[in-house]
Amino acid sequence: MAFDRRTFLGTTAATGAAVALAGATSTPAAAQQQDVKGPAPRTYAFTVMGTTDLHGNVFNWDYFTDKEFDDKAHNDVGLAKISTLVNQVRAEKGRRNTLLIDAGDTIQGTQLSYYYAKVDPITARRGPVHPMAQAMNAIGYDAAALGNHEFNYGIPVLRKFEEQCDFPLLGANALDAKTLRPAFAPYSMHRLRTPCGRDVKVAVLGLTNPGIAIWDKANVQGKMTFPGLEEQAAKYVPKLRSMGADVVIVSAHSGSSGTSSYGDQLPHIENAAGLVAEQVPGIDAILVGHAHTEIPEYRVKNKATGKDVVLSEPLKWGQRLTLFDFELTWAKGRWSVAKVAARVLNSNTVAEDAKITRLLSDEHRKVVAYVNQVIGTSTQAMSSADGPVKDVAIIDLINHVQAETVKAALAGTEWAALPVLSQASCFSRTAAIPAGQVTIRDAAGLYPFENTMEARLLTGAQLKDYLEYSARYFVRTAPGDAVDPAKLTNAESIPDYNYDAVYGLAYDIDIAQPAGSRITGLTFQGKAVDPAARFVFAVNNYRASGGGNFPHVPQAKQLWSNSDEIRNTIIQWVKAKGTIDPAQFASVDWRLTRAGVPVF
């Protein structure tokens, strides 16, 4: 299969490793002159700026609410804000004494990025340039690592985006499945001119997430493979040093916790940035991504050298900009790193860069008009605010659409007589369907991820296990203890999207009991669920592929799958029905209890 002007097999280490050296000339950043006591050490200082998990955010705008972005902490988002911060740093440090890199998850996440992948796709003949490519080119990025969400729209979209970028997309552990050669540039080299000694050579090694093989299996199976970060870093860091790199920076789309959300399905760690720092000598700093947490500075001692490796993770969506400040000294004919420090800047302290907002104003207007198209009406308002702790109608809507879609797909097959159940999460606590007119953005806001749908075959016993695993999400709360809904959820740091409600069954979750022993009164159509009974389970591809490490589903028989996003399925369902009436699908089928007494 051809991927625009590059073929998939043609983008190898040869093309990647040959990324042009950047920053050929420079003004002095720091230089010490000789004094009367003899020559002082010659020094040079420079700064590497970093972003991660931009997720399609250019403007400080929420396309699902159709207004300026805001949250409880009053963060701002978007590359237009980041551009202002970058301009300030460059003005302070000198443009040629800085680099700007990213740690991945760039082209998925907002309706802006969705529009140019699906509605007006960049892959079309004479198609548009992706807004993220336009913005990042204008800001002047030097390199970006691949994130797992780069693969959500398929390899052709990713290749076209890569072609549109003026900087390399790096992925040393994204290999061609047949040749096992890098399918993207593994690294880039950048030359910074100094006032003394030779130029400083800065290597940026890009590492992506092994979970891609699970989460985007449909897009990458048989085409690409993703070995562990530590393994590939150990291969490339010595090579970069032998090529004369004075400084080695890793841009890793991988958190620092050393954990995985997909259990033992792959022999590689999902959040391995800290392990890379600890196990691979020769790394000076790591820009961390993927985990959506803010880590201004985190030091990890390398086991082999005893030296600190400095890690930093800026907050997602362009809310923060990481600064790695390097100080180098020249001695015995070479540069060596004397000091590294990291910090983050908050994008809510600055205005959007008008250069970026003007550049993409037409694209922004098109997407705002698209998401505000009316597709139907609702007989009443629905909100997801209580979705994490109560069975609410808006989550039932997602599940009802999924169950109906699967039933229709299996009609006339050997599975048609089996009952269909469905799973869904409270993906956003701010999602809402208004009474009256319903727009695309209202419906799309229920499902902010590009998940697709599958049907799997499960038994009653397996569903019980699934529900027990899901119920770990609740904080154990004894009978009689005060109940604060805000403190009942996210036990063990489980995110909202990893708590599933199952539609079609009735059950209680006893939060006074330990995890694993919480599901009581499990029934189907008023009767206790037979452990041997078979059910069709409508499930998203993330969960079916092992996301969240839920039991049984990844190994269960697949009865059907669909390539269209669940978000689009909901939109089309609303268009077809014309009216959303919760009375036709909503009911309270699960509840939180303590010793049999309802919590609410």
Side-chain angles (χ1 to χ4, degrees), residues 359-537:
L359 177 68
L360 291 164
S361 60
D362 287 346
E363 288 83 349
H364 178 65
R365 282 194 293 268
K366 284 181 182 178
V367 175
V368 169
Y370 164 73
V371 300
N372 280 292
Q373 293 179 53
V374 175
I375 55 173
T377 60
S378 179
T379 61
Q380 65 184 66
M382 294 180 284
S383 168
S384 66
D386 291 332
V389 294
K390 295 179 182 178
D391 188 349
V392 295
I394 203 167
I395 307 300
D396 285 347
L397 173 60
I398 298 172
N399 272 318
H400 180 69
V401 171
Q402 292 181 166
E404 271 203 355
T405 302
V406 168
K407 284 177 184 176
L410 296 180
T413 71
E414 62 181 300
W415 315 108
L418 291 180
V420 177
L421 310 177
S422 177
Q423 61 79 223
S425 305
C426 182
F427 297 110
S428 167
R429 298 191 184 203
T430 59
I433 297 290
Q437 290 187 336
V438 177
T439 63
I440 284 178
R441 67 177 172 85
D442 296 324
L446 304 184
Y447 219 109
F449 298 104
E450 270 70 44
N451 293 342
T452 58
M453 202 185 332
E454 298 188 16
R456 298 282 178 130
L457 186 65
L458 292 182
T459 67
Q462 289 173 328
L463 284 162
K464 173 73 157 45
D465 290 344
Y466 189 98
L467 289 168
E468 288 287 8
Y469 184 84
S470 185
R472 299 174 310 126
Y473 169 78
F474 296 104
V475 174
R476 190 175 184 182
T477 309
D481 283 1
V483 172
D484 180 353
K487 297 179 180 179
L488 282 182
T489 62
N490 307 103
E492 303 176 35
S493 299
I494 296 169
D496 292 348
Y497 62 77
N498 273 343
Y499 168 65
D500 288 356
V502 173
Y503 179 80
L505 298 176
Y507 54 95
D508 290 346
I509 303 172
D510 190 338
I511 59 173
Q513 298 301 315
S517 302
R518 290 179 168 176
I519 303 301
T520 62
L522 181 61
T523 61
F524 173 71
Q525 294 184 345
K527 297 180 180 179
V529 170
D530 181 350
R534 297 194 302 171
F535 296 87
V536 176
F537 195 41

Side-chain angles (χ1 to χ4, degrees), residues 277-359:
E278 182 183 79
Q279 297 175 13
V280 181
I283 298 170
D284 297 299
I286 300 179
L287 177 65
V288 179
H290 183 62
H292 289 202
T293 58
E294 182 177 345
I295 306 174
E297 183 183 87
Y298 173 46
R299 292 178 178 267
V300 176
K301 195 171 294 295
N302 183 266
K303 286 184 175 180
T305 65
K307 294 182 179 179
D308 281 354
V309 180
V310 177
L311 286 71
S312 180
E313 181 175 6
L315 200 58
K316 64 187 185 297
W317 305 347
Q319 294 178 36
R320 303 289 186 275
L321 177 71
T322 278
L323 303 186
F324 291 104
D325 292 313
F326 288 85
E327 293 182 13
L328 276 62
T329 56
W330 174 263
K332 298 180 180 179
R334 61 184 296 269
W335 288 106
S336 59
V337 176
K339 182 180 178 183
V340 187
R343 55 196 168 103
V344 296
L345 303 181
N346 193 331
S347 66
N348 73 6
T349 62
V350 297
E352 292 183 312
D353 183 349
K355 172 186 172 183
I356 303 302
T357 57
R358 282 196 303 267
L359 177 68

Side-chain angles (χ1 to χ4, degrees), residues 116-292:
Y116 288 97
K118 291 289 189 177
V119 181
D120 185 11
I122 61 173
T123 50
R125 188 169 179 265
R126 297 180 181 176
V129 177
H130 198 288
M132 294 302 286
Q134 291 191 60
M136 295 174 82
N137 289 342
I139 295 168
Y141 273 78
D142 294 287
L146 294 164
N148 53 284
H149 284 287
E150 260 64 86
F151 295 84
N152 285 173
Y153 297 118
I155 293 172
V157 170
L158 174 54
R159 286 299 189 196
K160 188 64 177 180
F161 175 70
E162 179 189 27
E163 179 183 310
Q164 294 176 341
C165 291
D166 294 340
F167 51 91
L169 300 184
L170 308 177
N173 62 328
L175 308 182
D176 174 71
K178 295 179 180 176
T179 66
L180 297 184
R181 298 173 67 187
F184 293 84
Y187 57 85
S188 57
M189 278 283 204
H190 309 268
R191 191 187 300 275
L192 302 175
R193 182 67 52 84
T194 72
C196 50
R198 62 171 171 79
D199 296 348
V200 170
K201 291 178 71 176
V202 181
V204 179
L205 177 66
L207 297 170
T208 192
N209 205 288
I212 295 165
I214 289 176
W215 304 321
D216 270 299
K217 182 178 179 180
N219 290 327
V220 301
Q221 188 173 35
K223 300 174 183 177
M224 298 183 68
T225 185
F226 302 88
L229 284 82
E230 308 100 303
E231 169 191 331
Q232 293 302 102
K235 174 181 177 180
Y236 278 100
V237 171
K239 179 177 181 177
L240 295 171
R241 290 293 185 183
S242 72
M243 292 169 63
D246 302 295
V247 179
V248 174
I249 300 167
V250 174
S251 183
H253 193 74
S254 179
S256 61
S257 65
T259 61
S260 285
S261 66
Y262 48 78
D264 59 0
Q265 295 179 69
L266 284 179
H268 311 301
I269 300 297
E270 176 184 351
N271 296 303
L275 297 175
V276 171
E278 182 183 79
Q279 297 175 13
V280 181
I283 298 170
D284 297 299
I286 300 179
L287 177 65
V288 179
H290 183 62
H292 289 202

Side-chain angles (χ1 to χ4, degrees), residues 57 59-63 66-69 77 352 364 368:
N57 285 280
F59 297 85
N60 186 41
W61 193 260
D62 186 338
Y63 292 96
D66 199 26
K67 60 185 180 182
E68 185 174 304
F69 176 89
V77 300
E352 292 183 312
H364 178 65
V368 169

Side-chain angles (χ1 to χ4, degrees), residues 27-32 42-46 97 194-196 327-328 335:
T27 55
Q32 298 293 333
R42 292 183 289 181
T43 66
Y44 175 68
F46 71 98
N97 303 308
T194 72
C196 50
E327 293 182 13
L328 276 62
W335 288 106

